[in-house]
């Protein structure tokens, strides 16, 4: 312990619970301020790695090594997920158990440099992954809050346990359902869930009543393993089973296209066109590298759908399953299905939401200095726009209370609708009292009559230190302050737990997947190849002229 830390501990000896909490909070938040240089560099490192879902090998390893160096006990590959982890640090013989988490997966096709013009990161294809949300800032923000709280606990002798999970594949909502089923959230007293965000009115606030809804994701695999049985009168003397002049079995590609086309055609018949539900699809490339007269043996398509209620999600599931069965039969294929995720709508916790927002209000919204403004103005010039004196959206630098944000959100939702959009933090809300909060990511004011900015602009702003560091600092200080409050205010935790128990009694909502569910990491998720120099090669490398 340094001399300064010794003085702080001596000065707080004998303080009341309230006094201890205030002193610990100041210590935790000062640690973040003092370490913003390191935190900024850490963020840029994860942002540059930009590894896609289930393939975040280097990102996860970086977190594991850093947490071990900080004194945490870390299980790498937790829950049978190669790029997940679970870390824990304790002091004393009791105290609360508090959890927050990192995400670090990026999005394929969004490779953008941390600059003021559209360009991929050096040596990479434009179709390589990039951090769009950015999850890089999510992880470093929660890490800042975690380490700040740990520092304060050490300095002030506060008992408790800090848990930190590495949650890969959020873009397919893959890991939290698995960690929950395997018991990684059991015994936790409170969970803080953070995301950088810009969408009015959920900007610099905490969610109140309207949590995220259900999310289902499933892979349909069509397999043509017996093409020779398609044409019963085929020439038995043919030198090859599928002669170039013969009518071949339709095969897996036909099944996939039938599934894709018919599901698209039927989308408006799955559910009414209200409630904010959506259906997305992705075609995997496994088995599609060549073209020959042989029928395609395997083809796979993933569907993901977001719905306000489980009943709506189940209805979409019924239609998709039926479409897949008929497509397989028509194309002479067998059908296999695999769940990726099946998440329940989230539970709210007013006690934790208010406790966290009080800390966010004390910290204040992000503020953008001269360097951030200059970078934003350079982007506007690149796009042929006149640079604005105040280029960032005003809402990015303003707070909105959870209650006011809730009221504004409800203006756009049907009265019956209890949930909106989706994110897999919802699974955590079924294991412990959980608060979901947002700090604004940098976003620019639109120029009159010009429409939206190109997608690369927000991606670049998420990598430029001067524009993204304010998000990290505000979120980190808010988490650290909330953790120190919960560590020193048992009444708040007791009230949060009482509210949680009451909500569970009112609506139990059992898990939707079995306890032994295996994460589907073996599929042909977006991946990259190694170049001779150890760098990454992404295919396709670039668009042809």
């Amino acid at each position: 312990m340094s001399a300064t830390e010794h003085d702080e501990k001596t000065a707080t000896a004998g303080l009341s619970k309230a006094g201890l909490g205030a002193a610990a909070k100041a210590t935790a938040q000062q640690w973040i301020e003092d370490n913003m240089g390191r935190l900024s560099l850490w963020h840029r490192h994860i942002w540059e790695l930009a590894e896609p879902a289930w393939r975040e090998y280097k990102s996860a390893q970086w977190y594991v090594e850093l947490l071990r160096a900080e004194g945490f006990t870390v299980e790498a590959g937790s829950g049978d997920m190669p790029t997940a982890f679970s870390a824990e640090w304790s002091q004393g013989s009791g105290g609360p158990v508090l959890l927050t988490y990192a995400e670090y997966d990026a999005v394929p096709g969004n490779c953008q440099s941390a600059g003021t013009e559209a360009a991929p990161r050096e040596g990479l294809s434009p179709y390589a992954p990039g951090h769009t949300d950015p999850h890089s800032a999510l992880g470093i923000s929660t890490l800042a809050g975690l380490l700040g709280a740990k520092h304060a606990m050490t300095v002030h002798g506060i008992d408790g346990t800090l848990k930190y999970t590495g949650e890969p594949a959020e873009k397919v909502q893959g890991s939290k359902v698995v960690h929950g089923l395997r018991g990684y959230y059991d015994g936790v007293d409170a969970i803080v869930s953070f995301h950088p965000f810009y969408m009015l009115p959920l900007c610099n606030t905490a969610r109140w009543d309207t949590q995220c809804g259900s999310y289902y994701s499933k892979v349909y695999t069509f397999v043509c393993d017996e093409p020779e049985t398609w044409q019963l009168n085929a020439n038995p003397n043919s030198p090859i089973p599928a002669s170039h002049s013969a009518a071949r079995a339709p095969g897996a590609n036909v099944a996939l296209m039938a599934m894709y086309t018919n599901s698209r055609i039927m989308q408006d018949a799955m559910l009414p066109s209200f409630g904010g539900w959506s259906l997305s699809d992705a075609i995997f490339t496994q088995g599609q590298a060549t073209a020959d007269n042989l029928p395609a043996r395997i083809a796979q398509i993933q569907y993901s759908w977001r719905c306000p209620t489980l009943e709506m999600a189940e209805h979409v599931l019924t239609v998709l399953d039926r479409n897949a069965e008929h497509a397989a039969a028509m194309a002479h294929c067998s059908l296999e299905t695999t769940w990726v995720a099946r998440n329940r709508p989230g539970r709210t916790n007013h006690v934790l939401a208010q406790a966290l927002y009080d800390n966010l209000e004390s910290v204040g919204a992000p503020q953008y200095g001269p360097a951030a403004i200059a970078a934003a103005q350079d982007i506007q010039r690149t796009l042929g726009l006149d640079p604005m004196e105040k280029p960032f959206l005003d809402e990015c630098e303003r707070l909105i209370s959870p209650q006011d944000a809730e009221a504004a959100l409800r203006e756009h939702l049907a009265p019956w609708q209890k949930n909106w959009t989706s994110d897999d933090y919802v699974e955590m809300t079924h294991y412990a009292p959980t608060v979901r909060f947002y700090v604004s990511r940098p976003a620019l004011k639109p120029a009159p009559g010009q429409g939206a900015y190109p997608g690369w602009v927000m991606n670049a702003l998420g990598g430029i230190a001067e524009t993204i560091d304010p998000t990290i600092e505000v979120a980190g200080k808010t988490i650290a302050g909330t953790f120190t409050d919960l560590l020193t205010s048992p009444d708040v935790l007791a009230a949060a737990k009482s509210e949680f128990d009451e909500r569970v009694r009112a609506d139990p909502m059992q898990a939707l997947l079995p306890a032994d569910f295996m994460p589907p990491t073996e599929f042909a998720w977006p991946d990259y190849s190694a170049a001779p120099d150890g760098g990454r090669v992404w295919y396709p490398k670039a668009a042809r002229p």
Side-chain angles (χ1 to χ4, degrees):
M1 182 181 295
S2 69
T4 301
E5 292 170 347
H6 181 270
D7 291 344
E8 288 175 330
K9 188 168 186 177
T10 302
T12 57
L15 284 177
S16 65
K17 282 281 187 182
L20 177 60
K25 183 182 300 188
T27 299
Q29 294 178 341
Q30 187 61 52
W31 184 93
I32 293 171
E33 222 168 283
D34 293 343
N35 285 272
M36 272 307 300
R38 280 205 302 163
L39 292 165
S40 181
L41 291 174
W42 293 350
H43 169 263
R44 183 60 176 269
H45 178 68
I46 298 297
W47 191 86
E48 293 284 357
L49 289 177
E51 298 171 296
W54 296 127
R55 301 294 183 256
E56 315 94 326
Y57 305 114
K58 294 181 179 179
S59 301
Q61 186 61 31
W62 181 88
Y63 274 100
V64 168
E65 291 175 0
L66 184 136
L67 289 162
R68 284 174 175 163
E70 292 289 336
F72 283 77
T73 300
V74 186
E75 177 192 355
S78 52
D80 291 310
M81 296 178 285
T83 54
F85 64 83
S86 179
E88 183 174 315
W89 178 86
S90 294
Q91 180 166 273
S93 57
V97 179
L98 308 178
L99 183 146
T100 189
Y101 60 88
E103 293 172 9
Y104 30 82
D105 60 323
V107 184
N110 284 271
C111 183
Q112 170 60 37
S113 65
T116 56
E117 59 183 35
R121 299 189 304 284
E122 185 177 357
L124 289 175
S125 160
Y127 306 113
H131 281 287
T132 58
D133 288 15
H135 286 172
S136 51
L138 186 162
I140 300 303
S141 297
T142 56
L143 181 65
L146 180 85
L147 296 181
K150 173 180 175 287
H151 175 72
M153 292 171 71
T154 302
V155 169
H156 298 283
I158 299 171
D159 290 352
T161 297
L162 300 178
K163 299 189 78 169
Y164 193 62
T165 51
E167 305 288 355
E170 191 280 332
K171 289 301 178 186
V172 293
Q173 300 201 14
S175 72
K176 297 184 187 73
V177 64
V178 177
H179 271 150
L181 291 169
R182 303 295 176 84
Y184 286 89
Y185 308 142
D186 293 352
V188 173
D189 292 303
I191 299 173
V192 172
S193 171
F194 164 67
H195 206 296
F197 204 60
Y198 180 75
M199 184 181 293
L200 293 178
L202 298 177
C203 189
N204 298 317
T205 193
R207 278 193 182 258
W208 194 244
D209 284 318
T210 307
Q211 300 294 323
C212 285
S214 64
Y215 176 92
Y216 283 23
S217 184
K218 197 175 189 182
V219 173
Y220 294 86
T221 300
F222 301 98
V223 180
C224 185
D225 269 349
E226 298 180 350
E228 67 278 0
T229 62
W230 169 254
Q231 191 174 355
L232 297 180
N233 62 348
N235 181 2
N237 300 315
S238 173
I240 57 175
S243 136
H244 292 181
S245 59
R248 68 178 188 180
N253 282 354
V254 172
L256 185 146
M257 292 312 299
M259 174 72 173
Y260 176 84
T261 303
N262 287 294
S263 296
R264 280 288 181 180
I265 292 171
M266 295 175 64
Q267 187 166 344
D268 65 352
M270 293 181 186
L271 290 172
S273 56
F274 61 87
W277 78 280
S278 66
L279 177 68
S280 304
D281 49 58
I283 297 173
F284 291 179
T285 58
Q286 179 174 308
Q288 306 302 311
T290 60
D292 191 12
N293 195 55
L294 295 173
R297 187 170 181 180
I298 183 170
Q300 297 177 311
I301 186 168
Q302 177 196 8
Y303 283 96
S304 302
W305 56 106
R306 297 164 165 83
C307 298
T309 70
L310 290 176
E311 291 79 9
M312 294 172 73
E314 288 292 325
H315 187 72
V316 174
L317 172 64
T318 299
V319 177
L320 290 175
D321 280 354
R322 185 168 56 235
N323 287 355
E325 291 167 5
H326 287 290
M330 180 181 69
H332 201 62
C333 294
S334 60
L335 172 67
E336 301 169 7
T337 65
T338 307
W339 282 106
V340 178
R342 200 176 185 187
N343 296 332
R344 298 164 280 184
R347 297 188 192 279
T348 200
N349 194 283
H350 288 166
V351 173
L352 283 188
Q354 190 61 57
L356 183 136
Y357 184 73
D358 289 346
N359 277 280
L360 177 56
E361 192 171 37
S362 175
V363 174
Q367 302 296 311
Y368 301 105
I373 292 171
Q377 291 172 334
D378 281 347
I379 289 174
Q380 291 176 327
R381 290 189 190 94
T382 295
L383 296 171
L385 304 174
D386 293 331
M388 301 176 186
E389 183 180 355
K390 295 184 67 176
F392 294 97
L393 284 163
D394 294 337
E395 290 82 1
C396 289
E397 299 182 276
R398 293 176 183 165
L399 301 177
I400 180 170
S401 73
Q403 297 84 353
D404 288 343
E406 175 72 18
L409 178 61
R410 294 305 312 180
E411 291 179 2
H412 303 281
L413 303 180
W416 59 265
Q417 189 172 342
K418 296 181 179 180
N419 303 95
W420 173 71
T421 193
S422 68
D423 188 289
D424 61 351
Y425 82 89
V426 293
E427 277 298 308
M428 292 177 150
T429 70
H430 294 272
Y431 294 92
T434 302
V435 55
R436 172 69 160 186
F437 84 105
Y438 304 99
V439 172
S440 62
R441 52 178 300 182
L444 303 185
K445 291 178 181 175
Q450 296 298 312
Y453 285 92
W456 69 264
V457 172
M458 287 194 81
N459 296 352
L461 291 170
I464 298 169
E466 291 80 4
T467 57
I468 194 61
D469 284 359
T471 300
I472 296 170
E473 183 170 359
V474 168
K477 286 182 175 179
T478 299
I479 295 168
T482 303
F483 270 13
T484 53
D485 280 349
L486 297 176
L487 288 162
T488 57
S489 303
D491 291 348
V492 175
L493 270 181
K497 181 64 163 59
S498 177
E499 179 184 351
F500 174 79
D501 290 342
E502 180 57 35
R503 292 183 185 276
V504 171
R505 281 192 293 270
D507 188 4
M509 272 199 286
Q510 299 300 314
L512 301 175
L513 291 170
D516 61 352
F517 171 72
M518 288 295 293
T521 58
E522 75 282 1
F523 283 123
W525 300 107
D527 212 338
Y528 46 84
S529 300
D533 62 359
R536 290 187 291 174
V537 179
W538 188 266
Y539 299 102
K541 291 184 177 181
R544 294 186 181 275

